[in-house]
Amino acid sequence: MAHVETVFLARENSAPMEEVDSVDAVDGGLSGDRYQTGRGYYSPYDVCEVTLIEGEAIDEIREEFGIDLTDGRHRRNIVTRGVEVHDLLHTTFRVGDALLRGTRPRPPCAHVEQVAGEEGVARALKNRRGGVCADVVEPGTIRAGDELKVVEENPRTMGRKIAERLGL
């Protein structure tokens, strides 16, 4: 089952990510997060309302690079488990009580490495490990442990999944 493993917020630019049990997804992002309040490093020019990263990608980074990002130094809001977050692009999905829509990839930048305080973090987050951005379609509460369910699939992703099931 695809689900939320962990939820993180940063209250302002470059502040450490704080693990929270739950957060309200509201118009413009996650309540109190740096980008929802306009205090993010890239505000107002390059804003992702909500960012998602795969727990499996964090595991791969720890194994391949010896870098442990489980403390939130990846700078993403929601850590998922059991879903390829790139499959959520241009897809509407429910997380807890909130409805989100995947908008674009969120590749790593030099700022993430600077804030993480460890060399190699940006490189480790490359190759589809950096996660994706999503917009809040309907407000609601998101909690660690909530199921993630696709509501409306991207036709390209759906076609690929059908082909995989049919062994094509």
Side-chain angles (χ1 to χ4, degrees):
M1 170 184 79
H3 67 279
V4 174
E5 186 170 79
T6 318
V7 180
F8 289 98
L9 300 176
R11 305 290 176 182
E12 59 189 40
N13 171 29
S14 302
M17 297 297 280
E18 171 188 345
E19 185 175 341
V20 296
D21 293 327
S22 67
V23 66
D24 290 327
V26 297
D27 187 36
L30 300 179
S31 183
D33 186 65
R34 66 211 184 274
Y35 286 106
Q36 189 270 329
T37 61
R39 293 183 298 207
Y41 182 78
Y42 291 107
S43 293
Y45 306 105
D46 183 18
V47 174
C48 286
E49 291 186 8
V50 181
T51 52
L52 297 95
I53 187 170
E54 298 167 23
E56 294 85 353
I58 295 170
D59 296 344
E60 287 175 14
I61 289 168
R62 185 176 47 241
E63 291 169 19
E64 187 175 331
F65 296 91
I67 298 172
D68 184 359
L69 299 177
T70 56
D71 60 359
R73 291 180 307 133
H74 45 70
R75 310 294 296 167
R76 305 303 183 250
N77 300 119
I78 298 174
V79 178
T80 66
R81 186 68 64 176
V83 64
E84 292 183 33
V85 294
H86 285 266
D87 285 349
L88 300 175
L89 294 173
H90 313 292
T91 297
T92 304
F93 54 98
R94 186 162 298 283
V95 183
D97 300 328
L99 193 64
L100 306 178
R101 180 149 182 94
T103 58
R104 63 188 170 99
R106 188 65 174 172
C109 61
H111 181 67
V112 74
E113 186 156 319
Q114 178 186 5
V115 175
E118 185 170 355
E119 191 173 321
V121 170
R123 183 171 43 93
L125 285 167
K126 289 185 177 182
N127 299 322
R128 296 173 55 101
R129 292 184 186 134
V132 299
C133 299
D135 285 345
V136 177
V137 177
E138 288 179 12
T141 302
I142 299 172
R143 296 171 188 81
D146 278 346
E147 187 175 1
L148 188 153
K149 294 177 75 171
V150 172
V151 174
E152 177 190 3
E153 291 199 51
N154 175 345
R156 288 182 299 194
T157 302
M158 190 170 69
R160 182 174 57 86
K161 288 180 181 177
I162 291 170
E164 286 173 1
R165 280 187 227 136
L166 296 175
L168 303 176

